[in-house]
Amino acid sequence: VKMVRWQGHKHASNESVIANIFQQFEKFPLSAKQLETGAPIFLPDTKEEPLWVCTPETAWIRSHLSMPISHKGEILGLLQLDSEIVNHFSHVHLEWLQPLTNAAAIVIENARLYEQAVHNANTKTTLLQEVNHRVKNNLATIIGILYAEQRYIPADGKDYYREITANLINRVQGLSAVHNLLSA
């Protein structure tokens, strides 16, 4: 678990200390249990909870409240409140936080969906550009082959075959022009 936003940690020596706190689940069984069960955690006194792990950064915390931010059964994060005062939080705070965590879950999920939509749009744009490039190259190659074939027209049917190849070149150039318009 990594903290992404915080406020009021006056006991930290500086902001970078909090920003670089990473909780590994095997070292923090209470957080691991919460992520497994999805249940809120209410600790009136952290010193009385055997699963609470006290670190130098969290030694000041005496009352703790943690609400999972979940969407469709997936926990996206935790909203945690800490206080240096024993019994600072009550079950009423849990009730107050529920609508906030529900709204946060919707916002996080919408942000995920937006990022996925942008990624999909970028992928489609790249693929479309690649297809357009290949079609353009293929049409140019066909036109080049037709011009090359004009050099090998037999003398006995020169006018007839030249007209046919010129007609084919015009048609392929027309296809290329239409393709350029559509791809633009």
Side-chain angles (χ1 to χ4, degrees):
V1 176
K2 180 186 184 318
M3 281 201 213
V4 292
R5 300 287 180 264
W6 60 90
Q7 180 177 340
H9 279 256
K10 60 186 174 187
H11 298 284
S13 57
N14 62 43
E15 297 275 318
S16 67
V17 170
I18 298 172
N20 293 312
I21 293 175
F22 290 91
Q23 291 182 350
Q24 297 172 339
F25 293 123
E26 53 277 354
K27 294 181 182 176
F28 293 89
L30 197 59
S31 294
K33 181 181 174 185
Q34 183 174 31
L35 290 176
E36 184 180 309
T37 65
I41 294 175
F42 170 60
L43 302 177
D45 188 355
T46 56
K47 303 284 187 221
E48 293 180 9
E49 172 56 54
L51 294 179
W52 178 261
V53 176
C54 187
T55 66
E57 295 87 9
T58 62
W60 64 274
I61 299 173
R62 292 300 308 273
S63 185
H64 176 77
L65 190 69
S66 181
M67 289 287 291
I69 301 170
S70 60
H71 180 73
K72 294 184 180 175
E74 178 188 0
I75 296 180
L76 308 173
L78 301 171
L79 176 63
Q80 298 181 331
L81 301 178
D82 299 312
S83 175
E84 60 191 347
I85 302 167
V86 175
N87 292 318
H88 184 77
F89 302 114
S90 70
H91 288 286
V92 172
H93 292 100
L94 286 174
E95 293 173 20
W96 291 349
L97 288 178
Q98 192 61 57
L100 182 61
T101 57
N102 291 344
I106 291 168
V107 168
I108 292 169
E109 185 60 21
N110 284 346
R112 275 184 176 181
L113 292 172
Y114 176 77
E115 285 178 16
Q116 185 62 46
V118 168
H119 175 72
N120 291 348
N122 289 338
T123 301
K124 287 177 184 177
T125 299
T126 302
L127 290 173
L128 186 60
Q129 288 171 345
E130 183 63 26
V131 167
N132 285 336
H133 178 72
R134 287 176 186 258
V135 168
K136 190 175 181 181
N137 283 349
N138 287 339
L139 290 173
T141 300
I142 292 169
I143 291 169
I145 290 171
L146 289 171
Y147 275 120
E149 285 298 314
Q150 280 184 332
R151 289 183 280 175
Y152 301 107
I153 295 174
D156 58 343
K158 202 170 196 157
D159 291 337
Y160 176 72
Y161 287 116
R162 188 170 300 280
E163 185 180 326
I164 290 173
T165 55
N167 190 11
L168 285 172
I169 289 171
N170 285 338
R171 287 180 182 196
V172 175
Q173 285 175 332
L175 286 173
S176 182
V178 169
H179 174 74
N180 287 337
L181 288 172
L182 291 175
S183 63

